[in-house]
Amino acid sequence: MAEITDTPEVPEPGRSSDDKKPRRGGKRGKKGPFARLALFYRQIVAELRKVVWPTRRQLLTYTFVVIVFVLIVISLVFVIDYGFGEVVSFVFG
């Protein structure tokens, strides 16, 4: 098991322990709001280019699977709801 010691904190290389300036925003803090907005949209476009888009056939397959699954869940909920309705009308009705 590791031993815990009370050693003073080691400063980063090139900085003394007394040199504790608050960090500003770096490059982002120096740009205006429109430049930051433009950077944001450029980053969005760059990320969208990395996306592996499905082919038309894959998209149709996925859509079909989702529609079938939704229909199965709807029918399951309908059967359960109808069953509870019949039980409640038998008990109270």
Side-chain angles (χ1 to χ4, degrees):
M1 187 166 214
E3 183 178 321
I4 299 175
T5 61
D6 289 335
T7 58
E9 195 172 326
V10 178
E12 295 177 3
R15 297 184 79 176
S16 68
S17 60
D18 297 330
D19 187 20
K20 297 215 179 200
K21 294 180 187 175
R23 290 188 75 154
R24 304 298 298 216
K27 293 179 183 176
R28 287 183 285 173
K30 297 177 184 174
K31 294 181 181 177
F34 292 111
R36 288 193 309 250
L37 192 61
L39 174 65
F40 176 69
Y41 283 117
R42 281 196 306 269
Q43 290 173 344
I44 289 175
V45 170
E47 287 297 321
L48 285 175
R49 286 186 179 145
K50 295 178 188 177
V51 173
V52 179
W53 296 99
T55 63
R56 185 175 191 90
R57 183 178 179 125
Q58 289 172 331
L59 188 63
L60 289 173
T61 302
Y62 298 155
T63 304
F64 178 73
V65 168
V66 168
I67 289 173
V68 168
F69 179 75
V70 168
L71 289 175
I72 290 171
V73 171
I74 287 172
S75 62
L76 181 66
V77 170
F78 173 76
V79 168
I80 292 172
D81 182 53
Y82 183 77
F84 280 135
E86 288 297 315
V87 168
V88 167
S89 73
F90 177 74
V91 171
F92 296 110

